[in-house]
Each structure stands twice: as C-alpha cells, then as structure tokens.
Amino acid sequence: MESNQAEYVVIKAKEGGVQVIGLTRGSDTKFHHTEKLDRGEVLIAQFTEHTSAIKIRGKATVMTKFGTLDTDA
C-alpha cells in the first residue's frame, strides 16, 4: 500500500484512559502498538502494510472518510 493511498482515522478521547491498539496483518493477527489517550486528546492513525485493524477501548469519537461514530464503552 503506498503512503499516499493509505487511509487515516482520527480518534478523540471522550474520557481518560482510552486505549488504541494496532493489530498486524498476516496469517497471525497480533497486537503491535498501543497508545493510551487522556480526555480530549486526539490521535491520527494510519492503516499501513503492517496495520490491518485498530481496536479502541473506552469512550471516543472516531472520524473516518466514511463518517463519524462514537464508541459505546
């Protein structure tokens, strides 16, 4: 995947302690990176050749090219 075509997501924490976890590509999906956000902090994440999924724990707003959504927990 070329960097100019990679997709980004914006994650804004609505509470302290929101965890953002990057998951790897390949035959075995594994955690490869974790960030913890304080209330109001924003993280801009990119899907890459290594990152196939992003898991979010906690209350946050997630903005993508497809729209905006809020997590429930």
Side-chain angles (χ1 to χ4, degrees), residues 12-32:
K12 182 175 181 182
K14 295 186 337 186
E15 66 181 3
V18 171
Q19 289 184 319
V20 181
I21 304 162
L23 298 139
T24 61
R25 291 188 186 278
S27 58
D28 294 326
T29 301
K30 298 177 184 176
F31 297 136
H32 75 81

Side-chain angles (χ1 to χ4, degrees), residues 10 12 14 56 60-64 66-72:
V10 176
K12 182 175 181 182
K14 295 186 337 186
I56 300 168
T61 299
V62 182
M63 294 158 264
T64 73
F66 300 105
T68 301
L69 61 100
D70 291 315
T71 62
D72 291 333

Side-chain angles (χ1 to χ4, degrees), residues 13 16-20 34-38 41 43:
V18 171
Q19 289 184 319
V20 181
T34 302
E35 291 288 333
K36 190 171 269 191
L37 303 178
D38 291 328
E41 285 189 319
L43 177 70

